[in-house]
Amino acid sequence: MSLCLLWLGLLRISLSALWQAADIHAAVTIDQVTLTVLPANNVESGTNVILRCEARVSQSLPQPLTYSFRLLQDDQVIYSKNITDSMMERSLSSARVSNSGRYQCSVHIYNKHKKSNIVLLNVTGLQIPMLTVKSDIVSEGENIIATCRATEETGSLMFFFYEDDQEVRRVVISNNSVTTTLAMQELTQIYLQCAYMVMMHPNAGLSNKSNMVKVTVQDLNVITPQISISPKANVVEGDRVWITCNISQISDLPQIPHKQYPSDLELYLTKGNSVLRVYHTAYIYSFVVRAEDSGDYVCKAEKGSVQKKAVNQLNVTELFSKPILRMSPDQVFEGERFTLTCSSNVISSVKIGKADIKYVLLKDGRRISEVAKYENTASPATNGQYYCMATAKEVNKTSSPLNVKAKVPVSAPVLRAVNKVIVGKPFSVSCEAENGTLPITYTLLKTDFPVAHRTVVEAANRVIFNITSISFPEEIYTFTCQAHNRGSSFSRYSEPLRVPVIVPVSRPVLDTKETTVTEGSDLILICRIQQGTYPITFTWYHNRVMLLSSIQEVRSLEGRHVVKAIERDQRGDYYCEASNYASETKKSYPARIGVSLALWKKALIGVFCILLLVAIVIVLTVFFKKMSHQRREKQATELSVKPSRPKSGDPMRISLTLDIEDNTALNGTPCVMGRNVWSEHVSGSDSDDHTDEDSQLVQPQEVDPSREVPVTQSIEPEYSVQHTEVQVSTPGVSEEAEGAVLEYAQLNNSEQEPA
């Protein structure tokens, strides 16, 4: 229990401390940070400088605070310190140029942070350096070891070394002193100095030069060389010559043994860039001279980095000239003869004669002849590199090499067509020989007459001739090609050009045999041409549309296409096209094809027309019967309603029926039927009983519309029936006459009724 209470107490204290710290954090603010340079911003080198950083802080609780100060130079932290005081100072004792720069101070309190203003510090003046040497007296070729110091400077420095006011070395180092090695080659007294500059502040300039040090360079006489040649004059090729190379100071004392030579001494005998001999002591070089041995010989003594030399000249007279190898003729073709001749001229006739010179001929390093003249027949086996060697009194001289390569005669050329040959069109041919030494000239011939020339100088090239055209296929055989080597005396000819010649197709003609075909039958289309190279491609078209499966490639001048079971909508214009490998298509003139109806369709139409006429006749017959029956019934009805006898003195009323029938459908002639009752009965039976006056009274009278019986009309396609009621006034006509008229009318209607 007590342990738990203890833990609770500690937890409470910790929480209280954290709470208090949170309150303190919230109550602290940094008002200002100030950086000051004392005694001034611009000071001389060696001045004690103080950098003072001061922070002004506001807080709610009077408790001490911890200030974290950082001092920065050119944005790099150079000093940091944690103190409880609000001011921090940094001292720069004996400030140097390397201390110059941009300074700034920053302060951290808890989670608060603030920086000061930027302050510039400029330190002027560089320390004068000090120069020392290891030895102020050195021998020729020895090195001088020099040290330059600027003990009070800091930072990276660049040192400069001067020899008689001329810069000879510069060294960059992070220390304030440097030691270097200077090589001296000249025999003289030299004066050395040094200076430096601060790398981080090049604007500070170069320091003043250091003290001057005098260094003496002594001559190294012990290695002076000497050279001698024996004999010196009248030296001819084949003579032996001795060349001596030694040290002049020691050569004067021949009794001194070789061990007194310096151990690091070396003697060289050279001619041009060639070293003939090298040794540590004096020596003699002996050899049999030749003309090319003439020149300057050098005896060079070398000790360390010191070199001394002596020169002597040797002149050698030629015993005989360098041999020359010649070939005749200059160019040779395989199968032709050629001659090689080696010759040399005697110069020192006192010592040798022309017969004393011996010749040897070599091919590719192998001896082939021991005489000055060599003959052979050119062939691939004789090709190679030849040279000759002349010898006299142990002197050997070799000629310059001569490359012999027999030219290959041109072979028979081959004439080929580069592209398709079409009558009337331009084409190209190539002429090429398989063998033959370049350059080769090719000539195109037509009927043995040259028409064009070309020369090939590189193996990758071939000759192309462009031909305008030919008029007929057999003309192609008149072309040949000639090939000729330059320098050769003969030419080779090719075979005549033999290539397939394509004749373009002529205009095709479309043959249809008939211009009108019956529907359902086959239409045969024949396309013919007069000329053209096989194979020929024919294509048929209908109204400018290609027929299906109508492309034919045949090996004849005629092509056929069959239109199976032609239909009415296939009538129109037909034409064909013809083409071959000439890539030129020609079209025929169009042919117009008509398609008539099939026979069964014609028969069907005739039967249909006959049946239609029969049906019309039957319908009209039935209709006329019906109409006739209705008319009789109407007439009977009209007559039945008439008075049996008219009154005396009243005009007689007679009902007449006028039938107008159009029989155009049957016989094509309209017919109007009607009768004058009076003309047949009244006038016939009673003409004797009446006078002319009475007859004139029988005239048509104006009908009263109120008393007129309505006219019945029936409208049919090809006929019409009209009923007209006419009033006739017959004064004085007896009842018997009226009855007779009625009887006659009935009889007339019965006669008109068809049987």
Side-chain angles (χ1 to χ4, degrees):
M1 181 63 71
S2 58
L3 184 59
C4 291
L5 292 175
L6 178 60
W7 278 106
L8 289 174
L10 292 175
L11 180 60
R12 181 178 180 183
I13 293 171
S14 300
L15 292 175
S16 298
L18 292 175
W19 183 265
Q20 184 178 4
D23 288 342
I24 292 173
H25 292 175
V28 175
T29 179
I30 303 175
D31 298 330
Q32 187 178 5
V33 178
T34 305
L35 178 62
T36 307
V37 178
L38 299 174
N41 294 83
N42 297 317
V43 297
E44 293 290 335
S45 178
T47 304
N48 293 327
V49 177
I50 296 176
L51 300 173
R52 179 178 295 168
C53 183
E54 185 175 1
R56 191 172 64 188
V57 179
S58 298
Q59 59 181 357
S60 60
L61 298 177
Q63 292 184 356
L65 300 175
T66 301
Y67 297 82
S68 297
F69 289 94
R70 292 183 180 178
L71 186 63
L72 297 88
Q73 179 186 6
D74 297 330
D75 298 328
Q76 299 293 326
V77 177
I78 61 172
Y79 182 74
S80 63
K81 188 176 183 181
N82 296 331
I83 57 176
T84 57
D85 194 358
S86 62
M87 184 181 66
M88 183 271 295
E89 290 185 353
R90 172 64 174 170
S91 177
L92 301 176
S93 59
S94 299
R96 296 295 172 186
V97 173
S98 60
N99 297 127
S100 299
R102 301 166 62 255
Y103 286 87
Q104 192 176 26
C105 177
S106 67
V107 178
H108 293 261
I109 301 176
Y110 298 120
N111 60 345
K112 305 294 183 179
H113 171 260
K114 198 173 187 64
K115 289 185 177 182
S116 70
N117 56 314
I118 296 176
V119 177
L120 297 178
L121 174 61
N122 184 25
V123 181
T124 59
L126 294 173
Q127 177 190 1
I128 298 176
M130 176 71 67
L131 177 63
T132 59
V133 295
K134 184 177 180 181
S135 176
D136 58 355
I137 299 176
V138 295
S139 298
E140 182 183 8
E142 290 185 3
N143 294 329
I144 299 174
I145 300 175
T147 301
C148 187
R149 294 182 178 88
T151 57
E152 296 178 358
E153 295 294 342
T154 59
S156 297
L157 305 178
M158 179 181 286
F159 287 93
F160 300 86
F161 290 89
Y162 301 89
E163 178 185 329
D164 296 333
D165 290 333
Q166 298 294 325
E167 181 184 341
V168 294
R169 181 71 58 87
R170 63 174 60 183
V171 181
V172 177
I173 193 169
S174 59
N175 297 327
N176 54 14
S177 67
V178 63
T179 300
T180 186
T181 300
L182 304 176
M184 298 294 110
Q185 299 293 338
E186 297 182 359
L187 301 176
T188 183
Q189 290 182 347
I190 59 175
Y191 295 90
L192 301 179
Q193 284 181 299
C194 71
Y196 68 93
M197 67 178 294
V198 180
M199 294 293 293
M200 297 300 296
H201 301 279
N203 294 332
L206 196 64
S207 70
N208 294 328
K209 290 184 179 179
S210 68
N211 57 308
M212 185 177 295
V213 177
K214 178 182 177 182
V215 177
T216 302
V217 181
Q218 295 180 346
D219 187 10
L220 191 61
N221 295 324
V222 71
I223 64 168
T224 301
Q226 185 180 28
I227 184 172
S228 62
I229 299 176
S230 179
K232 178 66 176 176
N234 299 325
V235 178
V236 181
E237 284 183 311
D239 295 343
R240 180 168 292 276
V241 174
W242 290 266
I243 300 177
T244 303
C245 181
N246 56 15
I247 302 299
S248 61
Q249 193 174 26
I250 297 179
S251 62
D252 297 337
L253 302 171
Q255 302 299 325
I256 299 177
H258 293 303
K259 66 180 181 179
Q260 292 189 6
Y261 280 89
S263 59
D264 56 349
L265 176 65
E266 290 183 333
L267 291 175
Y268 295 88
L269 178 62
T270 63
K271 179 178 182 293
N273 295 326
S274 301
V275 177
L276 304 179
R277 185 79 181 271
V278 59
Y279 206 61
H280 295 288
T281 60
Y283 55 83
I284 297 175
Y285 180 68
S286 176
F287 62 100
V288 176
V289 296
R290 301 175 60 179
E292 56 266 25
D293 292 329
S294 297
D296 293 334
Y297 288 81
V298 178
C299 179
K300 183 187 298 184
E302 185 175 299
K303 182 178 185 293
S305 61
V306 179
Q307 290 184 354
K308 293 188 177 184
K309 61 183 180 180
V311 181
N312 205 336
Q313 188 177 39
L314 174 63
N315 294 318
V316 180
T317 303
E318 279 191 304
L319 186 62
F320 56 90
S321 63
K322 181 179 179 180
I324 299 175
L325 182 62
R326 297 181 178 87
M327 183 179 74
S328 179
D330 295 338
Q331 297 179 353
V332 62
F333 284 86
E334 292 181 359
E336 296 180 349
R337 299 287 294 177
F338 70 96
T339 302
L340 296 177
T341 304
C342 185
S343 62
S344 177
N345 297 323
V346 175
I347 297 177
S348 297
S349 58
V350 177
K351 293 193 174 185
I352 62 170
K354 196 170 184 64
D356 296 329
I357 303 176
K358 305 300 181 182
Y359 297 98
V360 175
L361 185 64
L362 299 97
K363 174 181 176 294
D364 298 329
R366 181 175 56 86
R367 182 176 298 187
I368 60 174
S369 175
E370 295 185 357
V371 294
K373 190 174 182 180
Y374 174 78
E375 293 183 359
N376 203 343
T377 300
S379 67
T382 60
N383 295 338
Q385 189 179 70
Y386 292 80
Y387 59 95
C388 70
M389 184 171 60
T391 305
K393 292 191 62 175
E394 300 182 357
V395 176
N396 298 326
K397 292 186 178 183
T398 304
S399 69
S400 299
L402 175 64
N403 292 319
V404 176
K405 184 175 182 181
K407 291 187 175 183
V408 179
V410 66
S411 59
V414 177
L415 187 62
R416 300 184 181 91
V418 177
N419 45 20
K420 293 189 295 185
V421 179
I422 303 173
V423 173
K425 297 293 182 66
F427 62 95
S428 299
V429 295
S430 67
C431 185
E432 186 176 6
E434 183 177 358
N435 299 317
T437 302
L438 300 175
I440 299 175
T441 300
Y442 295 92
T443 302
L444 180 66
L445 306 173
K446 183 177 182 181
T447 59
D448 298 330
F449 182 78
V451 294
H453 303 274
R454 297 286 189 277
T455 300
V456 175
V457 296
E458 296 182 2
N461 296 341
R462 64 171 181 170
V463 169
I464 301 294
F465 294 103
N466 297 320
I467 300 176
T468 304
S469 65
I470 58 175
S471 302
F472 49 91
E474 292 74 15
E475 189 178 353
I476 197 70
Y477 305 127
T478 62
F479 291 97
T480 56
C481 178
Q482 177 190 24
H484 174 71
N485 285 103
R486 181 177 297 178
S488 177
S489 58
F490 60 94
S491 302
R492 300 294 297 273
Y493 293 86
S494 70
E495 294 292 331
L497 181 61
R498 298 184 182 277
V499 293
V501 178
I502 301 174
V503 179
V505 297
S506 60
R507 177 182 288 275
V509 176
L510 180 63
D511 184 7
T512 59
K513 294 187 177 180
E514 51 186 347
T515 58
T516 302
V517 295
T518 303
E519 183 181 12
S521 62
D522 293 344
L523 173 62
I524 300 175
L525 301 174
I526 302 175
C527 193
R528 294 188 180 92
I529 60 174
Q530 295 296 325
Q531 64 179 8
T533 302
Y534 302 151
I536 298 174
T537 301
F538 292 99
T539 308
W540 284 266
Y541 293 84
H542 170 233
N543 292 338
R544 298 184 179 181
V545 178
M546 186 177 68
L547 298 175
L548 295 176
S549 304
S550 67
I551 300 177
Q552 293 182 8
E553 186 176 273
V554 298
R555 303 189 67 83
S556 65
L557 299 178
E558 179 181 298
R560 294 193 174 205
H561 179 72
V562 179
V563 181
K564 298 288 186 180
I566 193 170
E567 299 178 0
R568 290 274 295 171
D569 57 357
Q570 290 179 296
R571 63 183 180 274
D573 292 336
Y574 287 81
Y575 65 92
C576 66
E577 289 182 349
S579 64
N580 59 3
Y581 289 153
S583 302
E584 181 178 352
T585 302
K586 292 186 179 179
K587 182 171 65 175
S588 70
Y589 293 110
R592 179 158 294 181
I593 302 299
V595 180
S596 62
L597 290 174
L599 293 177
W600 66 271
K601 286 185 178 181
K602 293 180 180 179
L604 181 62
I605 292 174
V607 171
F608 177 77
C609 292
I610 294 173
L611 292 177
L612 181 61
L613 292 174
V614 171
I616 291 173
V617 170
I618 293 173
V619 171
L620 292 177
T621 302
V622 174
F623 179 77
F624 289 152
K625 285 183 179 182
K626 184 177 179 180
M627 293 302 295
S628 178
H629 179 70
Q630 290 179 354
R631 188 167 56 251
R632 286 197 303 271
E633 289 180 355
K634 184 176 180 180
Q635 291 175 355
T637 303
E638 290 178 350
L639 293 176
S640 64
V641 297
K642 299 292 179 177
S644 61
R645 189 178 300 275
K647 292 181 179 183
S648 176
D650 293 336
M652 178 182 177
R653 294 184 177 183
I654 301 174
S655 177
L656 299 180
T657 301
L658 301 179
D659 295 337
I660 302 173
E661 298 179 358
D662 187 1
N663 297 326
T664 308
L666 297 175
N667 52 21
T669 305
C671 179
V672 179
M673 298 180 66
R675 292 184 180 181
N676 189 337
V677 177
W678 296 107
S679 63
E680 293 183 3
H681 293 279
V682 175
S683 61
S685 61
D686 296 330
S687 62
D688 297 335
D689 298 334
H690 297 282
T691 64
D692 296 336
E693 183 180 355
D694 294 334
S695 303
Q696 295 174 354
L697 295 176
V698 184
Q699 298 292 334
Q701 303 294 323
E702 185 177 353
V703 180
D704 186 359
S706 62
R707 299 177 58 186
E708 186 179 359
V709 178
V711 179
T712 303
Q713 294 181 355
S714 177
I715 301 174
E716 293 298 334
E718 297 181 353
Y719 62 89
S720 66
V721 179
Q722 296 182 353
H723 300 279
T724 306
E725 187 176 285
V726 181
Q727 292 183 0
V728 181
S729 176
T730 55
V733 179
S734 63
E735 294 179 356
E736 288 82 5
E738 184 179 357
V741 171
L742 293 174
E743 183 178 359
Y744 177 79
Q746 292 177 355
L747 180 62
N748 186 36
N749 289 335
S750 63
E751 290 176 356
Q752 293 179 0
E753 183 177 354

